[in-house]
Amino acid sequence: MKTSPSKPIRVMLVDDHTMVRRGLATFLKVFDDLQLAGEAESGEAAIQLCAEVLPDVILMDMVLPMMDGAAATRAIRQQYPQIQVIALTSFKEGELIKNALEAGAIGYLLKDVSADDLVQAIRAAHAGRATLSPEAAQALVQTANQPPAPGLDLTEREREVLALMIEGLNNTQIAGQLTVSPSTIKSHVSNILSKLGVASRTEAVTLALRKRIVP
């Protein structure tokens, strides 16, 4: 005989699509240890409802009107740290995932998740364990492995020199503008090419314009 815990896990749904909430509410009824605590269609409504129903776990859409899911998650976790939030969304961009986790979400799942995986994630969240969909984990790895944008390590003086290179000035002219010796400018230009990973002034100027390295 199947035994269920004395207190079911109370789950709140936050999604601006009624059909999604209805589907999730129906899904929760299938499991003895899960119970629908409430529904909200916006981030603001979710924060208000939390105070009334104090759920154990929230399934939170990330893309919501007005206040997005990450902002709502952050506000809820600050006020009610005992409530766990699982991001349940259609989007798997690395930045969205990073924002959700930084806001305090304990899990990130896509809406095509299987019923079994979703119920396991809810139980895991209630126990304080994180769950990431494979796609979310992959996106996070790719975001972490992206090389830094070129030009971030340029000094203020190197940025000034690069800006004058973009204007078409040669080393002597740049030296005159900045009242330093041409050999100093030559050294700056060499550092700029090295930091940008290019072989010529023309390439440096092209990259700087394309990536908007200097304003």
Side-chain angles (χ1 to χ4, degrees):
M1 186 174 148
K2 190 167 136 185
T3 59
S4 60
S6 53
K7 282 181 69 179
I9 301 169
R10 303 180 69 254
V11 183
M12 191 171 109
L13 311 174
V14 185
D15 199 293
D16 57 333
H17 292 102
T18 306
M19 291 306 293
V20 172
R21 296 199 310 274
R22 194 168 293 165
L24 288 170
T26 303
F27 150 80
L28 291 176
K29 288 177 185 170
V30 176
F31 300 93
D32 292 344
D33 61 334
L34 304 182
Q35 182 184 82
L36 178 64
E39 299 179 32
E41 60 182 20
S42 69
E44 295 93 332
I47 294 166
Q48 289 176 352
L49 189 58
C50 268
E52 297 169 30
V53 303
L54 286 174
D56 298 309
V57 176
I58 298 174
L59 298 181
M60 174 84 72
D61 190 13
M62 284 293 103
V63 182
L64 295 166
M66 309 287 283
M67 176 185 276
D68 67 20
T73 297
R74 182 173 285 105
I76 288 167
R77 291 283 297 158
Q78 283 172 352
Q79 291 180 54
Y80 311 102
Q82 77 279 14
I83 298 175
Q84 299 291 0
V85 179
I86 297 173
L88 184 63
T89 183
S90 307
F91 301 91
K92 53 185 177 187
E93 282 77 16
E95 276 307 306
L96 262 181
I97 300 164
K98 194 157 152 283
N99 289 345
L101 298 179
E102 285 176 354
I106 197 169
Y108 197 104
L109 300 174
L110 299 181
K111 284 182 178 174
D112 60 2
V113 64
S114 71
D116 282 346
D117 286 347
L118 182 54
V119 71
Q120 291 301 337
I122 292 170
R123 289 168 182 157
H126 187 236
R129 297 192 308 273
T131 306
L132 280 182
S133 73
E135 298 92 340
Q138 180 66 29
L140 272 184
V141 169
Q142 287 172 346
T143 302
N145 287 340
Q146 276 177 355
L152 289 180
D153 54 349
L154 291 179
T155 65
E156 201 56 48
R157 177 58 88 177
E158 287 164 356
R159 287 176 183 278
E160 288 179 86
V161 172
L162 182 55
L164 294 171
M165 286 165 62
I166 291 169
E167 289 179 24
L169 276 61
N170 61 31
N171 285 3
T172 306
Q173 292 167 322
I174 295 172
Q177 282 253 19
L178 300 179
T179 59
V180 295
S181 71
S183 62
T184 300
I185 297 303
K186 188 178 178 186
S187 173
H188 284 318
V189 171
S190 175
N191 287 339
I192 290 166
L193 299 188
S194 173
K195 287 180 179 180
L196 295 184
V198 295
S200 69
R201 296 171 73 98
T202 306
E203 285 181 51
V205 167
T206 304
L207 182 66
L209 290 171
R210 198 169 74 239
K211 298 287 187 179
R212 298 195 175 109
I213 293 171
V214 292

